[in-house]
Amino acid sequence: MPRRVYLETFGCQMNELDSELVAGRLRTLGYAFTGESAEADVVLFNTCSVREHAEQKVWSRLGELKARKADDPNLVVGVLGCMAERDGEALIRRMPVVDVLCGPGELDKLPTLLDNAVRTRASLAADAPAEWPRGLRSAREVALQGNTSRRSATLAAAQDTLEMLDLSRAMSPTDGEGMPKRSAYVRITRGCNKFCTYCVVPFTRGAEVHRPPEHIIEECRRLADAGVVEITLLGQTVNHYRFEHGAAVTVNGVTQPQKGRSYTGGHRRDPFAGERVTTFADLLARIHDAVPSIQRLRFVTSYPRDFGDDALEAMRDHPRICRYLHVPGQSGSDRILGLMNRGYSVGEYIEFIDRARAILDQPEIGRPLAISGDFIVGFPTETDADFEATVAMLRRARYKSAFIFKYSARPGTVAIDKYPDDVPEAVKRRRNNALLAAQDAIGLEVGQSNIGRTMPVFVEGLSVRERKRRAAGACSAHGSVMLTVGGRVPSACGAGPSHGEEAHEESRAVERVQLSGRTDTDHIVLFDLPAGARVEDWIGRLVPVRITGATALALSGSPITA
Ligand code: 5AD
Ligand code: SF4
């Protein structure tokens, strides 16, 4: 009987990709996966340390496992990702249920760690001194990079076996729920060199390392062959991608990832682009042209200071690259941006937004540019005036959407040592709500500007509402439902007169199934599956949708099927 693994992912898209790669690797080694933690022999949490709140969730999950582990010492519990790297063995001291710690830079070692943990568990439990608590009668398996051993040279990167994890990616034609998989993440850069003072990422994920363009293009090609039509390129500062071919190291015939080296002579254009250097703009164009069956090419997250005109022009000139930029601004106050070590002023940020719009915003041909951002409110010393400047910048940038976070002081960062967390929680909350309200008003206007347009929508699957309805016992269990257009939407099976077969059939006959997809501007679009259509046939299709409504968060409309 194969070992059953439960793997839960917290945090960002980078973690989602890491989890997918780890799961693929473990599957090929004979592990099976379960969606129920209670059924698993191995419980893994892939964690995030960006904000304290994300860590608290993991602590409580680990706490829940204490009783179970006391009854079943053979249960293996692993903490992967940024929390493992940041807390190190202190995490095990606080939570002795944990057997395996594996940082995000060491995930290639996870199979060995798990294998050791699984194989040694029984014998250790038997041999341990009787006075030890049962949960402690085990060896720990630990793989962490440690801040001092951050990859710091091209040669170190050359020995980077982590690259093998990306390279050996299992190309699965279905997702975890058996639905066709049409959308995938591809990493182009690991780590970050920016050292924003509030951020743990440079410490947990290490220095910036760029993957060779050939590896990236090959991975895109293999994903496309497996049926993927939308690819999102990932990097903490994705547009900082730059690969110097002259400096590349080859081991056993394979070009190795490369430590990030910036061209610092100006941000508009890289004079070395072309043969010797693959810039971000080159990479976009190369993927676009090399893999024509990829209908949508997107990327996150961009760093405002590093955007050259060349990358914006590549977006404009290659029709399957999405008109969407996620460019965190973080604050609208120059003083706070300085304390954050963001490396740009408000003026420079706005100059970038205007430049991107000048090059890319083409509503007259149905291709507007959409921009989203991130903001932190309540950074140490932030005054009402600083905050008002942030509101002004958010209004000026006219984001499609924005993620707004309350500052969370993170151990190990520069900010926690240098700047006392002096903005009271109530003030952070008030500013958070005020900024959200300002963004909602703008998001609504931006959304409404799309009404009347027909926009190609990439169909992702059932809408959140539809999933909740099904989870609550709604009827259309098989994903293929006969529909009557214009029928009412029952709230759930249980809302009918009985749970009998007749009631079931009746609600199936009148039900609409709501799907969710995205425009190439990253707008969520909600629409009803046409009568007689099957959900699984629509997932991954690009469908023209006439936009008829908008809220601050989503558009709605009708698919044009003729
Ligand atoms: N506190 C609050 N928000 C943070 N972010 C990163 N670090 C912190 C922190 N310490 C936010 C930033 C970043 C996003 C991913 O998370 O806005 O862009
Ligand atoms: Fe963190 Fe700044 Fe790097 Fe983004 S750019 S990951 S906020 S250090």
Side-chain angles (χ1 to χ4, degrees), residues 167-229:
L167 277 180
S168 64
R169 179 173 195 171
M171 300 292 159
S172 165
T174 53
D175 67 10
E177 293 166 358
M179 285 291 185
K181 195 164 165 250
R182 302 279 185 239
S183 187
Y185 295 126
V186 170
R187 188 185 340 256
I188 67 169
T189 301
R190 290 196 197 93
C192 181
N193 285 353
K194 300 291 184 204
F195 288 95
C196 301
T197 53
Y198 51 79
C199 185
V200 291
V201 170
F203 304 102
T204 57
R205 290 204 175 257
E208 196 176 70
V209 176
H210 301 302
R211 299 183 64 207
E214 296 74 23
H215 293 194
I216 298 167
I217 293 166
E218 183 54 25
E219 193 173 326
C220 294
R221 206 177 267 135
R222 289 173 55 221
L223 284 163
D225 289 347
V228 164
V229 295

Side-chain angles (χ1 to χ4, degrees), residues 145-153 192-193 195 201-203 205-207:
Q145 268 187 283
N147 295 343
T148 48
S149 66
R150 288 160 29 94
R151 289 182 185 82
S152 58
C192 181
N193 285 353
F195 288 95
V201 170
F203 304 102
R205 290 204 175 257

Side-chain angles (χ1 to χ4, degrees), residues 49-52 86 192 194-203 236-237 301-304 328-331 336-344 374-380 405-419:
S49 287
V50 165
R51 282 169 294 278
E52 193 186 352
R86 199 183 68 72
C192 181
K194 300 291 184 204
F195 288 95
C196 301
T197 53
Y198 51 79
C199 185
V200 291
V201 170
F203 304 102
Q236 308 294 343
T237 55
T301 293
S302 297
Y303 195 71
Q330 310 297 9
S331 171
I336 297 289
L337 286 173
L339 296 182
M340 289 177 164
N341 190 32
R342 286 292 288 178
Y344 54 82
D374 292 352
F375 284 93
I376 297 176
V377 295
F379 189 82
F405 306 104
K406 290 180 287 179
Y407 172 68
S408 166
R410 306 308 296 135
T413 59
V414 173
I416 199 171
D417 289 337
K418 269 176 93 172
Y419 314 121

Side-chain angles (χ1 to χ4, degrees), residues 282-340:
D282 297 332
L283 183 71
L284 287 177
R286 281 184 65 184
I287 299 172
H288 180 275
D289 294 347
V291 200
S293 60
I294 296 299
Q295 298 295 312
R296 283 216 169 144
L297 185 58
R298 328 157 68 235
F299 53 87
V300 286
T301 293
S302 297
Y303 195 71
R305 204 185 53 192
D306 297 330
F307 242 117
D309 284 355
D310 51 356
L312 300 171
E313 286 162 7
M315 290 174 71
R316 182 194 60 201
D317 298 340
H318 294 85
R320 287 175 286 106
I321 302 179
C322 292
R323 293 289 168 101
Y324 168 60
L325 295 171
H326 178 63
V327 208
Q330 310 297 9
S331 171
S333 151
D334 281 340
R335 187 181 68 82
I336 297 289
L337 286 173
L339 296 182
M340 289 177 164

Side-chain angles (χ1 to χ4, degrees), residues 483-506:
L483 301 159
T484 306
V485 173
R488 91 196 139 80
V489 181
S491 57
C493 271
S498 80
H499 272 291
E501 203 57 36
E502 274 174 30
H504 185 88
E505 283 307 319
E506 183 201 274

Side-chain angles (χ1 to χ4, degrees), residues 13-46:
Q13 289 136 324
M14 202 60 97
N15 269 12
E16 283 175 36
L17 174 58
D18 282 341
S19 288
E20 185 192 323
L21 298 180
V22 159
R25 187 89 199 93
L26 293 177
R27 268 197 199 96
T28 62
L29 296 171
Y31 289 86
F33 278 75
T34 166
E36 295 295 328
S37 162
E39 290 174 356
D41 314 295
V42 177
V43 174
L44 301 175
F45 297 126
N46 191 6

